[in-house]
Amino acid sequence: MTLALFRYSGNKGRMVKHLPKVPARTMVIYEPFLGSGAYSLNQDSFGASVVGTEVNTDVVSIWQFLQTTSIQRLVELEELVEEHKWDKTDIRTLDLPHGEQSYLKVNCCSVMVGQLSSWKLSPKHKLPVKRTIQALDRAQHVTVVEGSCFDASIELTPTSFVFVDPPYLGTRGNYKSGAVDHTVLNKDSFVEWLVKLPCPALFTYGSDAVTEFPMFDWQVACIRKVPNLRKGGTTERVEMFTMIDSPCET
């Protein structure tokens, strides 16, 4: 079973086994769009440190909370969710610290893409607390930096390895937090940043990878069923990946 720290849209935990592993010589794993960090959490450690940047303040708060909390407190929060799950309680009325609120908001309220503004408990699809507890030790080795990867000063060398799982072009729902609605990803700026990395990178994207980023050599990682948000039920989505070993022409 793969490690999972909290439930989050786009979680790569279910496809980690279909992706290339981190090279053994790697000293630093960097996730520029950290989210729940599912890829790095499920790599053999072999001494590599993990650094992630994240623009969503709710997600940063969750990491800060989970890196400092106790198992007992997580169990207590689980009991609180069970107590209130039938009346869809607004978690802002429960007088919880900010980190705990963010954890419940994302893990137990916002179960679908674009719903990170929800504060009402709806824990049908939440991650079981025992799964979070299993990932706590590995999460201690992740350094979380709040902000955009384009602005952060992250020191990368040829012995670093970058896992890139960006938000889909034209979408911003996963990155809405508080009153901030972060701008959509600029494709040209993103590609320019990506190909100038001084180290190997693993770039994952969905079914439109070949159309949106034709400059890369794409491979199919897996085909999986995902919720069809507009029509209900499920639909098949192709998960793609490409390895970028050196700068390429754009």
Side-chain angles (χ1 to χ4, degrees):
M1 181 179 293
T2 58
L3 292 176
L5 195 60
F6 56 90
R7 181 81 72 188
Y8 192 55
S9 301
N11 190 311
K12 285 293 180 288
R14 289 165 291 187
M15 61 177 290
V16 165
K17 63 182 179 182
H18 302 290
L19 295 172
K21 294 183 178 297
V22 174
R25 66 184 183 88
T26 299
M27 300 301 295
V28 176
I29 305 170
Y30 174 46
E31 289 204 42
F33 306 93
L34 180 61
S36 62
Y39 180 79
S40 293
L41 288 178
N42 285 283
Q43 299 303 308
D44 294 331
S45 59
F46 45 71
S49 59
V50 179
V51 179
T53 46
E54 176 58 59
V55 298
N56 190 317
T57 56
D58 284 327
V59 175
V60 174
S61 295
I62 292 172
W63 276 94
Q64 292 172 342
F65 162 62
L66 291 175
Q67 289 177 327
T68 57
T69 194
S70 66
I71 293 176
Q72 178 59 37
R73 185 54 183 161
L74 286 176
V75 172
E76 291 171 355
L77 289 176
E78 178 81 352
E79 293 171 349
L80 191 66
V81 170
E82 288 297 312
E83 178 184 349
H84 292 281
K85 69 179 181 180
W86 299 114
D87 53 16
K88 294 187 176 181
T89 297
D90 187 322
I91 60 173
R92 290 171 293 187
T93 67
L94 299 179
D95 194 29
L96 299 173
H98 178 66
E100 295 183 351
Q101 279 197 9
S102 297
Y103 168 67
L104 294 182
K105 177 183 179 183
V106 172
N107 202 49
C108 303
C109 298
S110 304
V111 295
M112 291 296 217
V113 173
Q115 290 187 344
L116 292 187
S117 59
S118 174
W119 291 92
K120 297 291 183 67
L121 278 177
S122 180
K124 180 179 179 181
H125 302 289
K126 71 180 178 65
L127 188 74
V129 69
K130 64 181 181 181
R131 295 286 306 280
T132 297
I133 291 172
Q134 289 172 346
L136 285 181
D137 285 345
R138 189 68 64 88
Q140 301 300 318
H141 301 285
V142 180
T143 299
V144 182
V145 179
E146 182 175 347
S148 167
C149 61
F150 306 115
D151 303 322
S153 298
I154 305 298
E155 184 176 350
L156 299 174
T157 71
T159 60
S160 303
F161 184 80
V162 180
F163 174 70
V164 188
D165 180 38
Y168 288 163
L169 296 175
T171 64
R172 52 163 56 97
N174 277 4
Y175 285 81
K176 179 180 289 186
S177 56
V180 179
D181 195 358
H182 299 282
T183 56
V184 296
L185 190 69
N186 181 284
K187 179 164 68 173
D188 292 338
S189 298
F190 167 67
V191 171
E192 181 181 5
W193 172 85
L194 183 59
V195 300
K196 288 182 178 179
L197 290 171
C199 57
L202 170 59
F203 175 18
T204 63
Y205 205 74
S207 307
D208 297 332
V210 176
T211 302
E212 296 287 6
F213 301 96
M215 67 287 295
F216 299 120
D217 181 19
W218 292 97
Q219 300 180 56
V220 174
C222 63
I223 300 174
R224 63 189 184 97
K225 291 185 177 181
V226 298
N228 188 327
L229 300 180
R230 294 177 179 169
K231 298 181 180 180
T234 59
T235 185
E236 286 190 340
R237 184 169 76 196
V238 181
E239 300 283 5
M240 312 283 288
F241 75 90
T242 183
M243 285 295 303
I244 304 172
D245 295 317
S246 60
C248 65
E249 294 295 328
T250 60

